[in-house]
Amino acid sequence: MGKRKSSKKPPPKKTSGKLDTTFNCLFCNHEKAVTVTLHRKEQIGEAKCKVCGLAHQMRTDALTAPIDVYSDWVDACEEVKAQ
């Protein structure tokens, strides 16, 4: 007579850490002053500085992350500087 096979618990799923939604402001240089909010229903992403009040909006889709809105703001600022 043999032993019953013991069923092992499956290994825990690896969770990736959450991405940041607060960033440094490009204009007033305050750390973690820019908050990014994604409005999924309206398909709009907004980055706004709490200190100086500057804001940037862009159209989003289902795959857009807060870092995408912030990087679009950085690209827009660099484009204006180049002109």
Side-chain angles (χ1 to χ4, degrees):
M1 301 253 255
K3 286 186 174 181
R4 289 187 180 190
K5 290 186 178 181
S6 63
S7 62
K8 291 184 180 180
K9 291 184 181 179
K13 293 182 180 179
K14 294 181 182 178
T15 58
S16 60
K18 291 193 174 191
L19 298 175
D20 288 339
T21 59
T22 57
F23 304 97
N24 300 337
C25 183
L26 301 172
F27 296 97
C28 65
N29 295 324
H30 280 85
E31 292 185 7
K32 297 193 178 190
V34 177
T35 57
V36 177
T37 54
L38 297 175
H39 306 286
R40 298 284 183 190
K41 288 184 181 180
E42 293 86 18
Q43 294 183 341
I44 293 175
E46 181 181 20
K48 186 173 184 180
C49 179
K50 297 177 192 175
V51 179
C52 62
L54 288 174
H56 175 74
Q57 288 185 346
M58 68 173 275
R59 293 191 54 82
T60 61
D61 58 7
L63 300 177
T64 303
I67 187 69
D68 298 326
V69 177
Y70 181 74
S71 62
D72 185 64
W73 187 26
V74 171
D75 293 342
C77 291
E78 288 177 357
E79 186 178 308
V80 168
K81 272 188 181 178
Q83 289 180 354

